Amino acid sequence: MPRRGRARAATPAQVEQVHSLAAEGVSERKISEIVFGDARYRGRVERLLRPRSSSPAHDSLEGTLLRADEGAQPSEPELPSIRELLNRHRRRLASTGELPSLKEIELLLKLERQVETQETLERLNALTREAK
């Protein structure tokens, strides 16, 4: 799977050095001074040390919900299951105790808006059918 976004600024040797210093218990600020020459590159060190375990779950949630939402007609019974997946993902984020990334928050809000739009459309269609 191709990487998205900018190319990594750190060389593989620098990445290795960051990980080895972190394993020794050196602070992120000190690692950035040693490896990159300035403490201001602390964010780069944080990104290199950040676990990528949440990314596959994020991608699978996005793929599942968007695939289900793309072909969904307002009268299809898939909407409650999409809502349940969204709520389950929200509970998982809350239970981990970690702060989600801004990208994950953005995705969650986008999916929430899509589900709410579909639910509103279903309610309006039901009201229209009752009025006839």
Side-chain angles (χ1 to χ4, degrees), residues 45-62:
V45 173
E46 289 174 358
R47 286 187 298 278
L48 289 172
L49 295 176
R50 185 181 307 145
R52 295 212 172 244
S53 62
S54 64
S55 182
H58 168 264
D59 290 342
S60 67
L61 172 75
E62 177 181 17

Side-chain angles (χ1 to χ4, degrees), residues 11-29:
T11 65
Q14 289 173 324
V15 173
E16 170 107 14
Q17 190 177 8
V18 165
H19 286 289
S20 66
L21 288 171
E24 294 173 12
V26 180
S27 74
E28 292 174 351
R29 192 172 296 274

Side-chain angles (χ1 to χ4, degrees), residues 32-75:
S32 65
E33 288 177 10
I34 294 169
V35 177
F36 301 111
D38 197 330
R40 291 180 295 173
Y41 293 110
R42 173 182 55 83
R44 185 180 294 175
V45 173
E46 289 174 358
R47 286 187 298 278
L48 289 172
L49 295 176
R50 185 181 307 145
R52 295 212 172 244
S53 62
S54 64
S55 182
H58 168 264
D59 290 342
S60 67
L61 172 75
E62 177 181 17
T64 303
L65 290 178
L66 289 179
R67 241 187 341 271
D69 191 47
E70 283 173 357
Q73 294 297 321
S75 61

